[in-house]
Structures are given as C-alpha cells and as structure tokens.
Amino acid sequence: MTLSQQIVTIALCAAGTMLTRFLPFLIFSSKKPTPKYVQYLGKALPAAIFGMLVVYCLKNVNVFAGSHGLPELISIVIVIALHLWKRQMLLSVAGGTVCYMLLVQFVF
Amino acid sequence: MKGHKEKKSAAALKAAFPQTIPILAGFLFLGITYGIYMNASGFSFIYPMIMSLVIFGGSLEFVAVQMLLSVFAPLQTLLMSVMIQARHLFYGIAMLDKFKGTGWKKPYLIFGMCDESFSINCSAKIPEGVDKGWFMLWVTALNQLYWFSGATIGGLLGSLITFNTEGLDFVMTAMFVVIFLDQWLKERRHYTALIGVSVSAACLLIFGADSFMVPTMACILCLLTVFRKPIAKSLEEGSDDPK
C-alpha cells in the first residue's frame, strides 16, 4: 500500500465509525420531536446494550476447550459478590481483575 | 463570568475523573498493547497515535492494522468499519435525549462515544449541581486521552515492555459487569436486560465471534418491537431508584 492509500484506508475507518455514531443524531434532530417509537427504544435499549457488551467482552472465551472459561466465570462471580457487598465500582472492578490475573497467570 | 465557568468545569472534572479510573487502567493497557502490535507490524508510532485520535474505537483499530497490511480495498474497508461499529447506532438512539442542550460540546460527545464513554455517560449518576454537559465532556475527553497515551507509548516503546500483564484486559469486562449489575438492581423487571444477554449469547453460538453483532442487534430490535407493550409498561412503572 502506498502512503496515500494508507491515509484513505484510515480515513474510511474513521468515516465508517463516525457514520454509526452521528447517524441517529442526524436523522432525529433536536428541533423536531423524536418519534414515540424511537423514544421508547432510547429507554429500552441501555439495559439490553449492557448485557450485549458483557457477552461481547467474553466472545473469545471457549467453554469447550482450554480452561473452559473458568477463570472468567470465577472472576465475574467475585465482581458480582464484591459489588453486592460494598457497591463500590472501583473495588469490584479491581478485585475481579486481580483475581483474574492471578488465575490466568498462576492457576490455569 | 469566566471564573464561574471555570468553576463549573472544574467541579465536573472532579466528579468525572473517579468514574473513569477503571478505564484509565484498561485503556492504558489495551492502548499500549495496540501500539506494540502496530510497532511489531512495522508501523511507526505516528500511526497508532493518529488512529487513536481520529478513529477512537478499539476493536476497529486492531482490525485496521490487518487492512493496512493487505491490498487497498476502499469499499470493503468502509463496509467493514460500519459493520464492526454498528453497535454505536444503538448508543446514539439511547443518548438522543441526554445529549440535548449540551451546545458546542455535543459534536465532540458524539465523536468520542466509544463503548466505555457511552456506558459511563449513560449509567452514571451525575451529582447534584454538577453540569451534565461538562461531566460528559470530561468523561469522553479523559477516556480518549488514556487511549491516545497508551497507543502512543506502545508505539514508541514497542517490545521494551516485558512485565507480566496477562489478564489485565479483564478490567473492561469487570467494568461492564458492574454497569450491567447496577442497571439490573435499578429495575423491577428485567425484560430488556435478559433480552440483551440471551440474544447475544445465542447469536454468538450460532454466528461465531467474528460476525454475531449485527444479527444480535437485529434480533434485539425485533424483540423490543414485538414486546413493546409489556416492556413500555415495565419502563413506566419506573425503577426503585429515586430519581
């Protein structure tokens, strides 16, 4: 690839990203009232998206081979337990991550 | 007037920074990994530096390395980018209301809306008296600063970094689990959370890790549309959260 082809490639990646980020705001301008259906989606989507993102993070875990996803499962249980106990985001995240690092480096 | 404005942004920064600490850890680590990866693929640190600024979307930037190493294919590049980033369409729909009235900050808030900035801005309880627009601006800008710094450091230092960081990337998973759990605890009924998890998991099993996101989004939209009545009712019943 020549330098100008590289620049175009990077620019197209940026353009594709921006298209997906700006499109909803371009279609539903803040001047006109947003359709009821889209308002409903705006309220209903976040919980579904957060669930989707958790699965997205775990997409490369193979439960049928290797460590069978056990380090991930154990660490997520730790995260949930810590969070239900103290409700401190940083503590839950740090505790789960340290647990995961110890598991993949020393146990599995 | 200027003093007042400075106070407003400083108060928002103070409220925003603690929310971004998990991302500081995650993005520095992932950014460095990305920079090292580009370095090892034969690119100067200028590449990860610029790409972290203009694209600012982790997964696509990793894929872009492969694109840069293969034959020039502009149409395919654009289509791939839209497909990989399609989930941002959902973020925009969810943030239509929240970004209203943020004035000059709005274009940047949309530009910098990666998974992590969206999740914090969508779920964080912004303290009383803190300006919403400034808070979200700081969250977005800090996150991009972390990613940019990581990518540039990784590109510069390349393979010099050798300490064992295996597993540190779990910090992002842990953060999304916490945000999901917080959302779960806020709701009385969990229709949409359950739809999100089960549809994604089913599509992952059927379509595989590389191509499950677009079918996932389509199925989520279908289910939310078909079950609009009960879901809308459960949303109106509201949450236990006194807001």
Side-chain angles (χ1 to χ4, degrees):
Chain A
M1 235 188 244
T2 64
L3 180 65
S4 50
Q5 287 178 334
Q6 288 183 337
I7 294 173
V8 171
T9 300
I10 295 172
L12 285 171
C13 287
T17 305
M18 288 315 133
L19 184 71
T20 60
R21 285 185 189 163
F22 277 91
L23 199 61
F25 295 92
L26 296 177
I27 297 176
F28 308 108
S29 86
S30 48
K31 284 174 196 113
K32 277 177 264 166
T34 315
K36 279 265 162 11
Y37 172 65
V38 179
Q39 282 184 21
Y40 155 71
L41 283 183
K43 288 196 196 100
L45 275 175
I49 295 174
F50 296 139
M52 183 176 88
L53 280 172
V54 171
V55 176
Y56 181 70
C57 283
L58 298 169
K59 67 179 173 167
N60 291 319
V61 176
N62 189 346
V63 282
F64 305 111
S67 53
H68 302 283
L70 277 177
E72 286 80 9
L73 182 69
I74 295 168
S75 308
I76 287 177
V77 169
I78 299 273
V79 171
I80 294 174
L82 278 173
H83 201 66
L84 289 178
W85 180 37
K86 289 283 184 188
R87 299 283 169 98
Q88 289 284 331
M89 181 181 195
L90 283 180
L91 177 78
S92 323
V93 171
T97 306
V98 169
C99 166
Y100 184 77
M101 290 178 77
L102 293 174
L103 286 176
V104 292
Q105 287 184 18
F106 299 110
V107 183
F108 288 93
Chain B
M1 254 346 259
K2 195 164 171 263
H4 176 65
K5 227 179 177 179
E6 266 164 25
K7 241 190 200 160
K8 215 158 112 181
S9 66
L13 175 59
K14 232 169 127 182
F17 174 67
Q19 303 272 351
T20 66
I21 293 176
I23 299 162
L24 171 65
F27 270 17
L28 272 183
F29 170 69
L30 285 172
I32 289 175
T33 312
Y34 166 63
I36 292 175
Y37 178 47
M38 283 224 81
N39 182 296
S41 310
F43 294 98
S44 126
F45 76 96
I46 304 281
Y47 283 82
M49 201 173 102
I50 290 178
M51 285 162 76
S52 67
L53 281 180
V54 298
I55 305 177
F56 189 36
S59 44
L60 177 61
E61 284 174 51
F62 277 95
V63 177
V65 181
Q66 285 309 312
M67 293 176 177
L68 286 171
L69 288 172
S70 38
V71 191
F72 182 58
L75 187 65
Q76 197 195 326
T77 304
L78 184 66
L79 286 177
M80 278 280 277
S81 315
V82 172
M83 296 262 284
I84 293 174
Q85 305 287 48
R87 61 190 186 283
H88 293 95
L89 290 167
F90 277 11
Y91 304 169
I93 294 172
M95 295 307 266
L96 280 171
D97 271 349
K98 277 210 167 160
F99 284 173
K100 262 185 194 157
T102 49
W104 59 267
K105 303 177 197 80
K106 192 169 168 182
Y108 178 69
L109 289 175
I110 301 171
F111 170 85
M113 190 169 53
C114 62
D115 302 318
E116 292 75 11
S117 300
F118 160 76
S119 305
I120 300 282
N121 284 336
C122 181
S123 66
K125 276 191 210 118
I126 302 173
E128 199 85 29
V130 171
D131 183 78
K132 173 186 86 167
W134 274 108
F135 177 89
M136 296 194 292
L137 185 82
W138 279 123
V139 167
T140 311
L142 284 170
N143 288 348
Q144 187 160 21
L145 178 71
Y146 305 150
W147 179 251
F148 167 79
S149 312
T152 309
I153 293 170
L156 276 173
L157 300 186
S159 46
L160 289 178
I161 303 160
T162 50
F163 67 99
N164 194 353
T165 51
E166 195 195 345
L168 187 56
D169 54 338
F170 192 79
V171 70
M172 287 290 130
T173 311
M175 190 189 80
F176 287 127
V177 169
V178 168
I179 290 175
F180 177 74
L181 184 60
D182 272 334
Q183 176 80 29
W184 182 276
L185 294 169
K186 263 201 283 192
E187 316 166 311
R188 226 171 274 166
R189 295 187 203 286
H190 308 293
Y191 299 136
T192 62
L194 288 171
I195 287 176
V197 173
S198 52
V199 168
S200 315
C203 286
L204 177 60
L205 278 177
I206 299 168
F207 297 98
D210 292 326
S211 46
F212 79 107
M213 285 301 269
V214 173
T216 299
M217 289 173 60
C219 291
I220 288 178
L221 266 189
C222 281
L223 287 173
L224 289 185
T225 307
V226 171
F227 296 107
R228 180 172 170 184
K229 264 198 182 150
I231 294 173
K233 201 170 156 244
S234 76
L235 290 170
E236 271 161 33
E237 278 171 13
S239 51
D240 295 327
D241 186 39
K243 213 185 208 171

